[in-house]
Amino acid sequence: MPWFDRSLITTSHLRHGRLGRGLALLALIAAASCGDEGPPPPRPTSINMFPAQAAFDAVGDTRNFVAAVRDQNGLALDDATVTFSSSNPAVVSVDANGRATAESDGSAVIRATAGDAVGEAPVTVAQIPTALEEIAGDGQDAPAGTDLPVPLEVRATDRLGGAVPGLTVEFSVIEGGGSVTPQTAQTDAQGRAMSTWTLGTRAGEPQAARAALVGSGVPGVPFTADAFAGPPAEIDAVAGANQAGVVGTQLPVPLTVRVVDAFDNPLPSQVSFTVISGGGSIAPSAVTTGFDGLASAVWTLGATEGQQVARATSDDLQWDFMATGVSSAGPPAMIDVVSGADQASPIDAPLPDQVSVVVRDAQGVGVSGVDVTFTPDEGSVDPMVATTDASGVARTTWTLGSTIGTQTLQVSTTALGPLTVSAEGRDPGPTCVAGTPDSGAFNITLCYVASVTAPIEQAFENARAVWESLITGDQSDVPPRGDEHTACVSSATAPPIQGAFIDDVVIYVTIEEIDGEFGVLGSAGPCFIRQSNALTTVGSMRFDVADLDRLAAADRLELVILHEMGHVLGIGTLWSTKGFLQNAATAGQTPPGPDTHFDGPLAIAAFNTAGGQNRTAGQKVPVENVGNAGSINGHWRESVMDRELMTPFIDSGVDNPLSIISV
């Protein structure tokens, strides 16, 4: 290779040698790199928010916001990094994934940011109350006319249970008088509002108040309370003041006082009776008043003629009675009622209290030894003629006649009267009179706890007649215990069984609200059974009043009654007691359940006769083994016996026969 002096190399040399060709290539590359650079990379330029706006109606409500990011060419940038924020986090907060949560009423803007691009969605929170609930104040008691110890308090909430502040709650008294303070209140940050309830002044009367949201259809909140009498404030004479009598004898009218509170409500209290002057005695000396506030005692005058004084005291309250003692009474001059007038009682029944009258002389002194005649316009008295005692008092027991309404009693002596005494005869209401015992027939007595319409009563009587015709064996007659009406029936109007014996079954019938239409139709069972054979003597049936008319219109009422009456007589209810129920089921078991069955030989024979002789899938007779406690162990199995009347369910549109298996 020839050697060259570098300094002598020129451009012309480069053009012709290998070095020239290399430098030319470098020049070409450099020229290329200084030309067009191509399209710029994508960058976020716009964001669309979905949803574009939102409204919240409850605190805690949420929405998911999505940010759609596009570049400068309008193309989606799915991998862009987006940051979410809220302009007012106290109203609406938002997390890193765009999930917004309502925090309180107000407005805000949800923002999504990617690079320089921003998307916005306006949001509002306006809570809508959906419930008003009681927090405190219901079911209290306090003296009449005073404030309840705990204020009435309610809480307004939205559909998610969040407290709704700033609402107007109106408090009002519905029953019993009294007042609430304030009558309107705003719900606070916890959604609560309070008011103080001052009870009405009448003790024992129903007290009711209500809280409601103003301008809202949300149901209000009821409150009830009991008002009782306050501390004793006054004692007054009711009877026995300013009498006159022979010294050493009882005054004809007992001393009677009434203790009341500041609002004239009577109240239980301890009352003491003492003689202040004149001698004599009072019995009893101490009396505890009832809820009527009354206390009575008999005053026997001392031996001193002239004014005598007795005193009734209760705490620091007192009342002084004056009486005049005389040596002897003059001739009869007047006759007055002491007690027993204006009573009320069921017709054909004695009045609760005897009728007492006093014969007095012209000075008001009781005259002894006078014959008094009592003559009722109907009914009877015992005695008809009574002689006045040392106090001048005569008494009789009046049994009313059969007239509902006013009845009268004439009272007279040979020289005085007649004096008219009135009483009110009332409808005796439901009665329960057991039938006269007989032999050979099976008898059912139905006792209605309340009046029923004629068509309903006829349906019960028809069912009774069916069972009486099917059961041929007479049962032993047993005397009533006296408490069957309270043991079998919860209603206070249930009548006691009248009669010396129960022949053969007494059934109480109660028609009342149970659970509304299309729910439980009724329930029934024995209350008392015979010791001799463990069969029913007294039972009860309950029916839901809401279902009766519908069942009657569908011609199903008598079937339901017949079914429930069968339970009273022991079908399903006494199987276990009699030892016939085998492999009992438990409520809530899922199918197929245990092989619950009834192993009475007569029922098995009847089941075979009715077509069950070839049954091999379990023991006979199959008993309901799945469902609730009201169905299992007490009915024939629905899946096997279907339409038979003593299965758990009535089948509509078809017959529901009472088969020989049940009988």
Side-chain angles (χ1 to χ4, degrees):
M1 175 180 296
W3 178 84
F4 295 97
D5 184 351
R6 292 174 186 256
S7 63
L8 297 179
I9 298 175
T10 64
T11 301
S12 62
H13 297 125
L14 293 175
R15 291 192 185 108
H16 303 283
R18 287 182 294 177
L19 180 60
R21 288 193 299 271
L23 291 176
L25 179 59
L26 290 173
L28 178 61
I29 293 174
S33 65
C34 294
D36 187 4
E37 296 182 354
R43 67 180 184 280
T45 56
S46 65
I47 298 177
N48 292 328
M49 297 289 287
F50 298 96
Q53 59 185 16
F56 298 88
D57 63 1
V59 168
D61 194 9
T62 60
R63 296 285 193 282
N64 289 320
F65 284 88
V66 176
V69 182
R70 295 185 178 276
D71 64 11
Q72 66 272 28
N73 298 314
L75 299 178
L77 286 179
D78 296 332
D79 56 352
T81 299
V82 178
T83 301
F84 290 95
S85 63
S86 170
S87 66
N88 194 347
V91 173
V92 178
S93 61
V94 64
D95 65 14
N97 297 314
R99 185 176 181 84
T101 302
E103 305 292 349
S104 64
D105 279 6
S107 60
V109 174
I110 300 299
R111 292 190 177 93
T113 303
D116 295 330
V118 178
E120 295 184 342
V123 293
T124 58
V125 179
Q127 283 180 280
I128 297 176
T130 58
L132 188 67
E133 58 185 358
E134 185 255 335
I135 299 299
D138 189 31
Q140 300 182 77
D141 57 25
T146 65
D147 294 348
L148 288 175
V150 178
L152 309 185
E153 184 174 1
V154 293
R155 180 173 182 262
T157 57
D158 58 28
R159 62 181 177 84
L160 296 180
V164 184
L167 300 177
T168 301
V169 178
E170 181 181 45
F171 294 90
S172 59
V173 174
I174 304 301
E175 189 175 11
S179 60
V180 287
T181 305
Q183 294 182 340
T184 59
Q186 298 296 114
T187 57
D188 61 16
Q190 287 74 45
R192 300 189 177 199
M194 294 189 297
S195 182
T196 298
W197 184 6
T198 303
L199 296 180
T201 59
R202 302 310 306 160
E205 292 187 358
Q207 304 275 335
R210 182 174 182 269
L213 290 174
V214 175
S216 170
V218 173
V221 175
F223 293 88
T224 59
D226 292 322
F228 56 83
E234 188 174 355
I235 184 171
D236 294 313
V238 175
N242 301 315
Q243 298 184 78
V246 175
V247 292
T249 65
Q250 291 182 0
L251 291 175
V253 180
L255 310 185
T256 303
V257 294
R258 182 170 177 262
V259 181
V260 297
D261 68 4
F263 298 104
D264 204 37
N265 295 300
L267 71 152
S269 182
Q270 186 74 23
V271 177
S272 297
F273 292 92
T274 56
V275 174
I276 302 301
S277 66
S281 62
I282 298 180
S285 60
V287 178
T288 300
T289 69
F291 286 97
D292 58 3
L294 298 176
S296 296
V298 176
W299 186 5
T300 299
L301 294 179
T304 303
E305 293 186 27
Q307 187 181 77
Q308 301 187 28
V309 180
R311 178 172 293 165
T313 59
S314 179
D315 294 334
D316 58 349
L317 306 173
Q318 68 179 45
W319 182 273
D320 286 347
F321 289 90
M322 309 297 177
T324 301
V326 299
S327 60
S328 62
M334 65 188 78
I335 185 170
D336 295 310
V337 175
V338 175
S339 62
D342 301 319
Q343 297 184 77
S345 176
I347 58 174
D348 301 316
L351 292 172
D353 299 318
Q354 284 189 312
V355 176
S356 299
V357 297
V358 60
V359 178
R360 293 189 173 100
D361 67 8
Q363 304 304 315
V365 178
V367 181
S368 64
V370 179
D371 288 339
V372 178
T373 300
F374 298 91
T375 307
D377 62 346
E378 61 176 301
S380 61
V381 290
D382 184 22
M384 182 175 289
V385 178
T387 302
T388 59
D389 60 16
S391 301
V393 177
R395 302 172 179 84
T396 191
T397 298
W398 182 10
T399 298
L400 297 182
S402 301
T403 298
I404 296 176
T406 301
Q407 299 186 32
T408 58
L409 175 68
Q410 304 299 321
V411 184
S412 61
T413 71
T414 54
L416 302 172
L419 172 70
T420 300
V421 178
S422 298
E424 181 184 359
R426 293 180 175 174
D427 185 341
T431 59
C432 184
V433 181
T436 303
D438 60 11
S439 59
F442 181 80
N443 298 306
I444 299 173
T445 300
L446 297 178
C447 296
Y448 299 94
V449 174
S451 299
V452 296
T453 62
I456 299 298
E457 182 176 359
Q458 189 60 54
F460 280 96
E461 294 300 327
N462 290 344
R464 176 188 62 81
V466 170
W467 281 113
E468 287 183 340
S469 68
L470 292 173
I471 300 175
T472 57
D474 187 29
Q475 300 294 310
S476 60
D477 300 326
V478 296
R481 292 163 37 114
D483 63 347
E484 291 89 351
H485 61 300
T486 57
C488 291
V489 185
S490 60
S491 173
T493 63
I497 298 174
Q498 301 177 34
F501 293 96
I502 296 173
D503 176 45
D504 292 288
V505 176
V506 169
I507 302 177
Y508 283 98
V509 178
T510 304
I511 298 174
E512 60 187 358
E513 293 182 357
I514 298 179
D515 60 356
E517 196 173 11
F518 298 105
V520 175
L521 301 180
S523 61
C527 296
F528 295 94
I529 59 176
R530 287 174 174 79
Q531 293 183 354
S532 59
N533 58 10
L535 293 179
T536 303
T537 57
V538 182
S540 67
M541 296 192 298
R542 294 174 64 233
F543 294 89
D544 196 330
V545 65
D547 293 306
L548 291 189
D549 290 340
R550 175 179 58 83
L551 290 171
D555 200 25
R556 285 290 181 269
L557 179 58
E558 192 172 317
L559 288 176
V560 175
I561 297 171
L562 200 64
H563 176 103
E564 299 299 340
M565 200 173 291
H567 285 317
V568 173
L569 298 176
I571 297 177
T573 53
L574 294 179
W575 288 349
S576 181
T577 302
K578 301 287 285 184
F580 291 133
L581 182 68
Q582 307 301 326
N583 203 13
T586 302
Q589 286 183 301
T590 56
D595 186 22
T596 309
H597 61 281
F598 178 91
D599 66 355
L602 295 180
I604 293 174
F607 182 76
N608 289 335
T609 300
Q613 68 272 14
N614 296 323
R615 173 180 167 79
T616 59
Q619 298 294 317
K620 303 171 186 177
V621 176
V623 172
E624 188 60 59
N625 57 353
V626 294
N628 59 36
S631 297
I632 62 171
N633 302 329
H635 298 86
W636 302 131
R637 196 173 302 171
E638 184 80 23
S639 61
V640 177
M641 300 176 69
D642 192 18
R643 294 186 291 117
E644 212 277 347
L645 184 64
M646 297 309 297
T647 57
F649 305 103
I650 289 181
D651 294 277
S652 300
V654 295
D655 290 335
N656 290 258
L658 181 63
S659 71
I660 192 174
I661 305 169
S662 295
V663 178

